[in-house]
Structure formats: structure tokens, C-alpha cells
Amino acid sequence: MVYFTICIPTRNRQRYCIEAIKAIAASDETDLEVIVADNSDDATILADFFRTELDDSRFRLLPPADTVLSMVDNWERIIPETKGRWISIIGDDDHIDPSVLQLIRRYEREQPDLEAFAWARMNYNWPDNRVISTLAAVPVGHSTHIPDRKILHNELYRWSKREKRPAGGFGIYHGAVRRSLMERIKRKFSDRYFEHPTVDFDNICKVVKEAKSMIFCQRPFSVLGACAASNSASAQSFEAMRKLVVDFYNELGNGQQIQEDDFPFSPKLPGLAIISSIAATTWWFCRKYGVDNSGFQENFAHSAVQECLVSRTVEEYQIKVEGFRRGFDAFEDGAWSSHFNPPEVFTPSNAQNVLCGVHRNYMYIRESGLEKVITPADFYRFAEAFLMPVRHLVSAREVFAA
């Protein structure tokens, strides 16, 4: 058994996926494997790349199935193919530093029952995804924390922080989960590793509930890349968001649905795809598996206001407010409508995605000035210049902060 498996599910974004593969292949870590699950319409592009350009036994390619798989089903087929003690999944337009496995080894020695490890992530827009002014974000901390489980449950299941969305964090997507936990999740939750179409938060909900021990490191080890064809690209354009939502719904498997009938906040509502899909996943999980999420409804109403307040234009603000109003009027007979109180007058911030610098332990960098930085891996290497070196974290005798 290898120690660490990196999984890359991909669909019709082969050129980005190839860049992700090349960046990982440059690592000299040996106790590592990479599984690429191709769900593309054209199977030849990645197959040819593996055959003619990638001479690396650490990598394996899962070819497309006979029919196009939903995202959740493509993720589902990966796990049985993995051999690692620890497993991580990234997007095909992302990057991960394989040296993170060295830190996982250190933490596992100190916490033998460790089953979930999370780290901070950088955010970067590919050059083809800068329709508006954009900033890359780099967390600049390096401390290690053991989360308070009660607080974590409140933030995830009850949305107690009342922010745009719960931080979550502890999951297999841009995090690492021990194989033992993934197998236990499958046994306990519907005999599947992944169940809900919002697959990353499906896993977060289950990992947070089931993990014996969890650790978070403030030092980033991966980059959430956003190319023009990515889900996150929709944040820059209503039109792009509509198209991605339509495509996502079209590719849902038989019998799969994103929101329950008693949760009338559809991701199809203009501008609300991300917050609605995450909230719907939280609601579904707590209802299906009997997790106490008392307070969620009121907290979600306040979170909805925060989502509206990050609108870039007055028109976008009005569209979001109207969508939420319709949802809250229908949600539990309007019981929570009075808690959704967005300001009547809204003035967009002129500084949004313009000002750069350090704010709340993040460094924000104007991406228009990154002329020689193209891929998320390029950006990670650029950002490493002002991050704590991995070797210092691995060798440290640091006391965990509760």
C-alpha cells in the first residue's frame, strides 16, 4: 500500500488536467500514486498523453465509462481504485503539493487516531477566467490546530457563523482523509463513498461527523484553480452560472436531486447556485441522518443577507434578494422570512477585487500583474517564496493549539 493517493476527476477540460498532472509528476515523492478519472466525451486526448508523454508509474488513468457519469458517480468509482493509506481529491484545474504527505506522516505519528487532515488553500484564476478584475489569495499562516468538535458542528450543520457559507474544510476535496474513515463512511451512509450531487460538502458533512481525530494546518498546500470552464467561474458572470447549472442538472444521475422538496432554495435561482447547493446539502444530510441542526433556518437567513451584500452591481443584488425572498416565503410556511432583512438601499463597493495587500491572514495579489504565472502550479511556486518552508513544519516540535 502506498501512503498517499491523489485523485483527479475530470470532464472535457483535458488541457488543464494535463497541466495538473505535469506539476505533480515533477515531484520526487515516491510513496505516492495519482488516479485520473476521465469522464470526457473524447477519451483519446488523455489516453494519448499517458501513452506518449507521461512515463511515470505513479500515475494511472481510468478511461471514460460507456455513458457520461454524473460528478458524484465519477468520484464514486475512483476510491475502489486507490491504494493509498490517505486519499485526496483535487479538481482538474487545481494544484496540490505532494510534499503534504510528509506533514501527514508527522501528524499521524503524534495523533495515531488521526483520520482527517485539512490545510488552507490558495485561490487563483487562470488567465482565461478574468472577465472582471481578479485577486489571487494566499493564506500566510502556518500554525496547527485541533478543532473544537462542538464549534465545528455548529459552524457546519447550524451555519452558526452566519457567513456566506460554512467553512467546512475537513473533507477529501483539497484535504486528506484516511482510508479507514472512507470505508466506514461507505458502510454507514447508504453503501456509497459519495452520495449527494454536491459531492464535496456531502463528504465534509460525513467526515466531520465520523472522524476520530482531525487536524488543520494554516499553511496552504494546494491551489483552488478557476479556469473559464470551471464551476467557480460562474461567480464572475450570471450567464456563465446559468449555463453551468443547466449542464450540472442535465448530468445528474437517475433519481438524484440537489435540494429536498421541503427546502425551496434551488441552485437554479439566478446568482444563488453556490450558496443554495451547499445549504441544500446541509439540510439534506441533517434530515436524512438525524443530525441536530437546530438554529440552521435563522442562521441561514442571515447568511443569505451576507451573500446578497457581496453583489457587484445593484441589479445583481436585487436579483439575489428577490430569489431569496421567494425561497423564504415558501420555506416552512414563511416562518423565517422576518430574519431575511437585506438593506433596502445597496451600494456596491468600488474596491471589490481591486485593492491588494494583507488582510486577516491572507495576502491578496492582483492577478493582472502575474504575467509569467499561468497555471495554479506556477502560482504555488511563486507564493512559496513567502510561506513557511515545508521542511520546517515537518521537523518542528510544535504544540498543537486547541
Side-chain angles (χ1 to χ4, degrees):
M1 177 184 287
V2 297
Y3 190 73
F4 191 49
T5 298
I6 298 171
C7 307
I8 309 177
T10 181
R11 171 159 170 75
N12 293 339
R13 300 197 302 213
Q14 294 93 334
R15 76 179 183 92
Y16 304 102
C17 186
I18 288 171
E19 292 297 335
I21 293 169
K22 288 179 177 178
I24 298 171
S27 169
D28 58 4
E29 297 288 350
T30 57
D31 206 359
L32 168 79
E33 68 169 358
V34 182
I35 310 295
V36 179
D38 191 10
N39 193 28
S40 303
D41 296 325
D42 184 350
T44 64
I45 299 175
L46 285 177
D48 288 347
F49 172 75
F50 266 73
R51 186 180 67 255
T52 63
E53 297 187 47
L54 185 66
D55 182 18
D56 194 325
S57 60
R58 298 174 297 177
F59 289 75
R60 284 188 287 137
L61 176 65
L62 302 182
D66 293 336
T67 58
V68 175
L69 301 174
S70 65
M71 182 185 295
V72 66
D73 287 337
N74 196 36
W75 283 40
E76 183 72 14
R77 70 170 177 148
I78 302 177
I79 305 302
E81 300 290 336
T82 62
K83 300 175 182 177
R85 177 178 176 83
W86 287 82
I87 306 170
S88 181
I89 295 179
I90 64 168
D92 52 12
D93 56 351
D94 299 336
H95 174 65
I96 186 172
D97 182 354
S99 67
V100 70
L101 70 83
Q102 300 176 27
L103 195 59
I104 299 173
R105 284 188 190 277
R106 175 205 156 188
Y107 290 157
E108 194 173 14
R109 286 195 300 269
E110 299 178 14
Q111 299 279 341
D113 62 349
L114 181 66
E115 289 190 310
F117 173 52
W119 54 81
R121 304 92 175 252
M122 302 182 195
N123 292 86
Y124 171 76
N125 290 283
W126 285 74
D128 64 3
N129 186 39
R130 299 174 188 171
V131 177
I132 60 175
S133 178
T134 58
L135 298 176
V138 182
V140 294
H142 60 269
S143 297
T144 297
H145 299 273
I146 298 176
D148 182 297
R149 191 174 291 268
K150 182 177 180 180
I151 293 175
L152 192 59
H153 281 213
N154 286 340
E155 292 178 358
L156 177 59
Y157 304 130
R158 297 186 171 98
W159 287 45
S160 61
K161 294 186 75 172
R162 297 186 171 186
E163 296 178 344
K164 290 191 301 176
R165 56 193 61 96
F170 290 94
I172 201 168
Y173 184 64
H174 283 265
V177 176
R178 195 161 154 179
R179 171 177 295 280
S180 59
L181 176 55
M182 289 303 296
E183 296 300 336
R184 197 161 70 251
I185 284 173
K186 182 180 181 182
R187 290 193 301 269
K188 183 166 183 177
F189 299 104
S190 301
D191 197 34
R192 287 182 63 100
Y193 298 107
F194 307 105
E195 188 177 358
H196 192 277
T198 310
V199 62
D200 52 345
F201 266 81
D202 166 282
N203 182 252
I204 288 171
C205 285
K206 294 169 182 175
V207 166
V208 168
K209 186 174 186 302
E210 293 296 317
K212 295 176 182 176
S213 177
M214 296 174 281
I215 289 177
F216 174 76
C217 181
Q218 291 180 332
R219 201 271 195 192
F221 281 92
S222 62
V223 182
L224 286 159
C227 68
S230 70
N231 293 336
S232 50
S234 63
Q236 298 185 29
S237 165
F238 266 15
E239 195 57 42
M241 181 175 288
R242 288 190 186 98
K243 182 181 184 304
L244 286 166
V245 169
V246 168
D247 291 344
F248 187 69
Y249 270 86
N250 287 340
E251 293 173 6
L252 284 178
N254 292 332
Q256 294 183 5
Q257 60 183 41
I258 295 179
Q259 91 260 23
E260 300 299 290
D261 294 337
D262 63 348
F263 192 75
F265 298 93
S266 171
K268 293 181 181 179
L269 290 170
L272 305 182
I274 297 176
I275 186 174
S276 294
S277 60
I278 295 172
T281 309
T282 307
W283 183 259
W284 159 85
F285 177 75
C286 292
R287 287 295 179 269
K288 181 168 183 177
Y289 293 109
V291 176
D292 181 11
N293 70 336
S294 54
F296 166 82
Q297 296 95 321
E298 181 177 340
N299 292 333
F300 176 59
H302 288 272
S303 296
V305 173
Q306 297 306 311
E307 175 65 37
C308 294
L309 291 175
V310 297
S311 301
R312 294 184 300 273
T313 66
V314 172
E315 179 187 16
E316 179 181 330
Y317 177 79
Q318 293 172 340
I319 290 172
K320 287 183 176 181
V321 168
E322 177 58 27
F324 275 125
R325 284 203 193 283
R326 293 201 306 270
F328 279 108
D329 286 344
F331 186 33
E332 296 190 339
D333 297 323
W336 310 101
S337 296
S338 62
H339 296 279
F340 178 66
N341 290 308
E344 292 185 10
V345 178
F346 170 72
T347 303
S349 170
N350 293 327
Q352 193 171 26
N353 285 354
V354 175
L355 298 178
C356 56
V358 177
H359 178 64
R360 294 183 179 178
N361 293 322
Y362 274 80
M363 179 175 288
Y364 295 93
I365 302 168
R366 190 175 296 113
E367 291 179 320
S368 60
L370 299 173
E371 297 178 358
K372 296 182 180 180
V373 174
I374 305 300
T375 70
D378 293 338
F379 182 70
Y380 183 84
R381 288 189 288 269
F382 163 79
E384 275 192 301
F386 40 88
L387 293 178
M388 174 73 73
V390 177
R391 65 182 183 276
H392 291 175
L393 287 172
V394 173
S395 63
R397 291 295 178 264
E398 181 179 328
V399 177
F400 291 122

